[in-house]
Amino acid sequence: MSKMLFTSESVTEGHPDKVCDKVSDAILDAILTEDKNARVACECFCTTGMINVMGEISTDAKVDIEKIVRKTICDIGYDDDRLGFNGNTCKVTVNIDKQSPDIAMGVDNSLEYKDGKDDLFNLTGAGDQGMMFGYASDETPEFMPMPVYLAHKLSKRLADVRKSGELTYLRPDGKTQVTVEYDGGAVKRVHTVVVSAQHDENVTLDALRRDILEKVIRPVIPEELFDSETLVYINPTGRFVLGGPAGDTGLTGRKIIVDTYGGMARHGGGAFSGKDPTKVDRSAAYAARYAAKNIVAAGIAKRCEIQIAYAIGVAAPVSVMVDTFGTGICADSDIATAVNRVFDLRPAAIIEKLDLRRPIYEKVTNYGHFGRQGNDFTWEKTDKTEQLKLALSEVI
């Protein structure tokens, strides 16, 4: 990697797509609280004055979906008609069916289990075909790419100063973007910062720009990366009053690059929000991150991307690929072999190891699913480093 610029973005929880992601995950959490084995694929879209919840859900749980939707929207901050969207008064429609029996058949009894391989972890087959990616790099303490790491911190800071009352004129919608300059693969400086913050009509543009610079950007961007040549654009159109669902239609799963690695790594295309962990779009992406992070934390590579692919109704992955972009201390094929030894990547094994049947998903919805801290984010643990080193001891 020679000298280059790379840009990633983030959005706040009031962004219309993230409103839908948060509603979907709130419904998932409510169901998992009562029925940890529920099958949930919940999506929604929102626009001016309305939100529509759709999907396939098979569960014994009794939850009031409309009540959850309204509470979630109000918690985000859309609780007043003056904001253009109000969880108390918007129209809520619910269109839910049960999971397809054709899909359930493959999830409930995998091909391996039907063939007599009655290992407990063979019982659950993958809920769909597809490929998932995980990634880690050593450029931040959280083993995340610097551009998306900083973009998420900015969008989180936007929400914090709004909710704390420090900047009372801010509204829930907002977007951030960070361009990082790399030199020889290392972070050199922040080249450009872009912040677009929804606001009340009565604030002046000069005041908003001054406040965002001093209370949002400077507390987040490290001083050693922010120099006199760093470009800063704050509300570059000059006005951002109409936002959220009133300004643009939102849809669950439309911010998958924001949710992962900001474009620094590849993406299989599957969204996370609203899906229970039998959906490998979610659980296997978490497992791939878990494996990639442990490889980098172990010092086996400076950067690592892992692809896992599945066939519907089959428990074992059809392929596992490792790419360390030339930074590994041994061949990528040897690291892939070690990954297969150390990590059980069958869906049931992933669910048990990462304890994914808990109602933890609404708190994951915003500011990235990876690089997070706390006991709930089990896929962020680095407890497999020694096992990986041991598995590679003959080739290192």
Side-chain angles (χ1 to χ4, degrees):
M1 187 188 294
S2 58
K3 193 170 184 178
M4 73 169 197
L5 301 177
F6 195 91
T7 302
S8 295
E9 72 160 347
S10 180
V11 298
T12 65
E13 61 203 75
H15 185 282
D17 293 331
K18 275 296 160 191
V19 170
C20 292
D21 282 345
K22 195 172 182 70
V23 167
S24 295
D25 277 333
I27 293 169
L28 171 64
D29 279 355
I31 292 171
L32 289 178
T33 298
E34 295 187 22
D35 179 7
K36 67 178 184 178
N37 295 311
R39 300 287 168 77
V40 181
C42 179
E43 302 175 61
C44 60
F45 72 83
C46 62
T47 188
T48 305
M50 68 161 291
I51 184 164
N52 186 10
V53 181
M54 309 159 288
E56 296 78 43
I57 299 176
S58 296
T59 182
D60 293 328
K62 305 297 182 184
V63 299
D64 187 335
I65 290 180
E66 181 176 340
K67 183 177 180 180
I68 295 167
V69 171
R70 294 192 184 280
K71 181 181 185 303
T72 304
I73 294 170
C74 289
D75 287 347
I76 290 169
Y78 291 121
D79 56 0
D80 191 315
D81 288 337
R82 292 174 296 177
L83 301 177
F85 196 66
N86 185 350
N88 296 304
T89 59
C90 68
K91 181 180 180 181
V92 178
T93 57
V94 179
N95 299 279
I96 298 294
D97 203 349
K98 291 184 177 181
Q99 184 181 58
S100 160
D102 294 345
I103 295 174
M105 180 173 59
V107 177
D108 292 338
N109 294 285
S110 73
L111 182 65
E112 294 95 327
Y113 198 81
K114 293 171 185 173
D115 286 343
K117 300 175 183 177
D118 56 357
D119 182 321
L120 178 62
F121 291 149
N122 277 335
L123 181 60
T124 303
D128 201 354
Q129 69 177 47
M131 64 282 191
M132 299 81 212
F133 288 90
Y135 180 83
S137 71
D138 66 356
E139 59 195 74
T140 64
E142 290 78 9
F143 298 95
M144 288 291 287
M146 184 65 80
V148 74
Y149 169 77
L150 291 177
H152 283 323
K153 289 192 73 172
L154 285 172
S155 59
K156 176 67 164 57
R157 180 70 181 166
L158 262 183
D160 287 345
V161 297
R162 171 178 64 88
K163 291 181 175 181
S164 69
E166 189 171 357
L167 295 180
T168 57
Y169 57 77
L170 288 182
R171 293 182 176 184
D173 200 355
K175 301 181 76 172
T176 64
Q177 185 173 283
V178 176
T179 301
V180 170
E181 182 178 324
Y182 289 85
D183 193 355
V187 173
K188 183 178 180 182
R189 57 186 289 272
V190 170
H191 180 276
T192 306
V193 177
V194 183
V195 176
S196 295
Q198 187 188 14
H199 57 86
D200 291 344
E201 284 194 89
N202 58 4
V203 65
T204 66
L205 184 59
D206 286 343
L208 181 142
R209 286 176 171 168
R210 181 182 63 249
D211 288 346
I212 295 297
L213 178 63
E214 295 303 321
K215 298 181 183 296
V216 176
I217 295 175
R218 289 199 176 277
V220 166
I221 305 298
E223 289 185 11
E224 65 271 19
L225 300 180
F226 193 93
D227 58 34
S228 60
E229 295 184 358
T230 297
L231 301 174
V232 177
Y233 298 102
I234 300 170
N235 284 36
T237 65
R239 177 182 170 88
F240 186 8
V241 174
L242 184 65
D248 194 9
T249 297
L251 183 66
T252 299
R254 199 156 54 184
K255 285 292 177 282
I256 57 177
I257 300 303
V258 171
D259 286 344
T260 51
Y261 308 100
M264 186 67 80
R266 287 171 281 196
H267 198 294
F272 301 155
S273 290
K275 295 179 180 178
D276 76 82
T278 65
K279 278 69 171 175
V280 285
D281 281 340
R282 181 166 225 158
S283 55
Y286 290 0
R289 162 65 178 176
Y290 180 41
K293 184 174 181 179
N294 274 269
I295 288 168
V296 176
I300 295 167
K302 293 177 68 65
R303 298 172 61 208
C304 181
E305 182 180 77
I306 294 179
Q307 184 202 57
I308 311 172
Y310 294 87
I312 188 170
V314 180
V318 299
S319 69
V320 177
M321 181 278 296
V322 171
D323 187 352
T324 62
F325 309 94
T327 69
I329 62 175
C330 57
D332 289 347
S333 58
D334 290 327
I335 300 174
T337 299
V339 167
N340 278 308
R341 288 179 184 174
V342 173
F343 297 90
D344 191 336
L345 298 173
R346 293 173 293 177
I350 293 170
I351 291 168
E352 180 177 274
K353 173 61 183 176
L354 300 182
D355 197 10
L356 296 180
R357 294 195 187 277
R358 297 167 297 144
I360 58 171
Y361 297 106
E362 187 180 357
K363 68 180 67 174
V364 183
T365 308
N366 295 103
Y367 317 117
H369 290 241
F370 308 121
R372 308 291 294 273
Q373 297 179 343
N375 293 332
D376 287 330
F377 309 108
T378 50
W379 51 92
E380 294 296 318
K381 291 182 179 180
T382 54
D383 57 349
K384 296 290 187 180
T385 56
E386 295 305 316
Q387 288 177 257
L388 283 166
K389 292 177 187 176
L390 181 64
L392 289 165
S393 59
E394 294 182 2
V395 296
I396 294 177

